[in-house]
Amino acid sequence: MRLLLIGAPGAGKGTQAVRIAEHFGIPHISSGDLLRRHIAEETSIGRSVRDTMRRGDLVSDGIVMDVLRKPVEAAARNGGYVLDGFPRTVEQAEVAYLVARDIGASVQVALFLDVPREELIRRLVARGQESGRTDDTEDVIKHRLEVYEEHTMPLLDYYQRRERLVTVNGSRPMDEVTWSVIVQLQKVRREFAG
Ligand code: ADP
């Protein structure tokens, strides 16, 4: 299954992505994690994205595609993937589609984790106190939510029109969310099979 997650910062994409990946036996590929690894390893990509990420702005499409291309292609050949953090704009979705289509790697399901804004802010402020992530401070959190609303939310309409969108209420306890995600995905998978 080739799946991507859409959700605001704090919606629980990372947590659910890991669990979905484990359940279906496919890799979890997180654009944010891959970029943070470049920063930690001080690669040239890492140096070029560090300040952008610290501000909570989007890294350029070229760099993100560059970082993701190999792992996504390899996973697609091998049973599928759970993509987390990409695409983040309609432009990224369009380019990714063109690249992936020819090799049979394009996305089958876009899973939206729906969480109200007040709950997101509550979670993010709490996470910022624990995680030490440099983009989890209150000002940057607000900015990341604005970036999400402006650039990423239009993806919901994009995937809805393409009949790929599955929405799950992400404001319930983590285990309940995982359970309903898996139930929904099993339904979708049966549709692919049938
Ligand atoms: P969150 O969704 O909680 O903000 P992520 O780990 O997904 O966290 O992303 C952290 C940062 O990494 C983003 O604010 C952005 O700077 C960069 N990033 C990750 N994925 C992308 C992407 N697809 N396009 C552009 N920038 C990205």
Side-chain angles (χ1 to χ4, degrees):
M1 182 164 48
R2 300 186 301 276
L3 166 81
L4 62 83
L5 296 189
I6 304 175
K13 289 186 308 273
T15 308
Q16 299 302 333
V18 169
R19 295 174 175 194
I20 297 165
E22 195 170 311
H23 183 87
F24 292 101
I26 48 183
H28 165 219
I29 303 174
S30 156
S31 52
D33 287 352
L34 290 171
L35 292 167
R36 278 187 289 275
R37 193 175 311 153
H38 277 277
I39 294 176
E41 291 171 359
E42 298 182 9
T43 66
S44 58
I45 289 182
R47 280 192 292 277
S48 71
V49 303
R50 193 182 46 205
D51 292 342
T52 310
M53 285 181 69
R54 191 176 286 156
R55 287 194 305 271
D57 285 323
L58 295 180
V59 168
S60 78
D61 293 354
I63 291 181
V64 176
M65 297 282 292
D66 216 33
V67 164
L68 286 172
R69 184 188 298 256
K70 273 199 194 137
V72 171
E73 285 182 4
R77 279 194 298 273
N78 210 2
Y81 53 74
V82 181
L83 199 48
D84 157 14
F86 180 92
R88 248 184 168 74
T89 64
V90 170
E91 293 74 26
Q92 287 183 357
E94 284 169 342
V95 175
Y97 175 70
L98 294 177
V99 174
R101 181 188 52 186
D102 295 337
I103 54 168
S106 67
V107 91
Q108 294 165 308
V109 184
L111 180 78
F112 172 43
L113 286 178
D114 191 7
V115 179
R117 203 168 199 274
E118 314 78 73
E119 170 71 10
L120 293 170
I121 294 175
R122 210 178 50 72
R123 289 184 188 177
L124 285 165
V125 170
R127 182 172 88 183
Q129 284 156 2
E130 296 156 16
S131 74
R133 249 175 68 168
T134 55
D135 60 354
D136 270 347
T137 60
E138 204 161 333
D139 285 351
V140 180
I141 287 169
K142 256 191 74 202
H143 182 58
R144 281 159 59 215
L145 282 173
E146 284 161 9
V147 169
Y148 168 77
E149 282 161 5
E150 182 178 346
H151 297 283
T152 307
M153 282 192 53
L155 279 174
L156 299 177
D157 188 51
Y158 176 91
Y159 287 113
Q160 176 80 56
R161 286 168 193 264
R162 284 160 184 77
E163 300 181 358
R164 295 280 190 278
L165 192 70
V166 172
T167 299
V168 166
N169 171 3
S171 56
R172 291 163 302 153
M174 257 169 4
D175 290 347
E176 281 180 38
V177 175
T178 306
W179 180 242
S180 48
V181 166
I182 287 173
V183 169
Q184 295 268 11
L185 291 178
Q186 268 161 351
K187 262 193 241 162
V188 176
R189 203 159 66 146
R190 275 197 295 276
E191 282 164 26
F192 289 139

